[in-house]
Amino acid sequence: HHPMHPMRQRLAGLGVTEAENLAALRHGHPVRIAGLVTHRQRPPTANGICFLNLEDPTGMINVIVPAKTWAALDRRTRYAGALLIHGTVESKDGSVNVLAGRLSPIVIGGAPDRSRSFR
């Protein structure tokens, strides 16, 4: 089983969309996603943008975190092993990404951090 598998029902109750279902959503659609952070990239040529990949039980999700959003995050959120993200679907030419708006760390097997509301 995927480490996030036990959380699927709880995350679904929060309105989280799994990786396998993102392609069906239209460009600009608001979305909540959650997963393990597989890597973070902040290339010097990206003007402060951070690129994340999340893995959930159904696949991988490409996430774009704007520089202003990244700069506003606390250290715990920036380096969390798993995240709950509220953002917007960006789809173009068969490629699907999520533009992150709000990020919150989650504990595997636990509840999302309640210090930030996603309602």
Side-chain angles (χ1 to χ4, degrees):
H1 288 287
H2 189 277
M4 293 198 61
H5 186 78
M7 299 179 66
R8 286 177 92 172
Q9 190 171 21
R10 179 180 296 147
L11 292 170
L14 292 172
V16 169
T17 300
E18 292 186 320
E20 69 182 0
N21 298 318
L22 286 175
L25 300 177
R26 72 185 188 291
H27 179 82
H29 190 276
V31 68
R32 288 182 187 149
I33 57 172
L36 301 176
V37 179
T38 62
H39 64 275
R40 299 165 182 83
Q41 295 178 325
R42 291 189 66 216
T45 57
N47 297 318
I49 293 171
C50 182
F51 300 96
L52 304 175
N53 266 72
L54 294 186
E55 179 184 353
D56 73 14
T58 69
M60 300 295 287
I61 305 169
N62 298 318
V63 181
I64 302 166
V65 184
K68 186 175 180 179
T69 303
W70 181 259
L73 297 175
D74 62 27
R75 183 173 176 78
R76 187 175 63 119
T77 303
R78 281 187 191 176
Y79 301 105
L83 291 168
L84 173 65
I85 299 174
H86 183 234
T88 306
V89 173
E90 288 191 339
S91 58
K92 183 176 182 182
D93 301 326
S95 176
V96 178
N97 301 305
V98 173
L99 180 62
R102 291 181 282 173
L103 297 86
S104 182
I106 56 177
V107 177
I108 302 303
D113 182 353
R114 302 246 182 250
S115 65
R116 298 180 191 193
S117 174
F118 285 92
R119 297 180 203 273

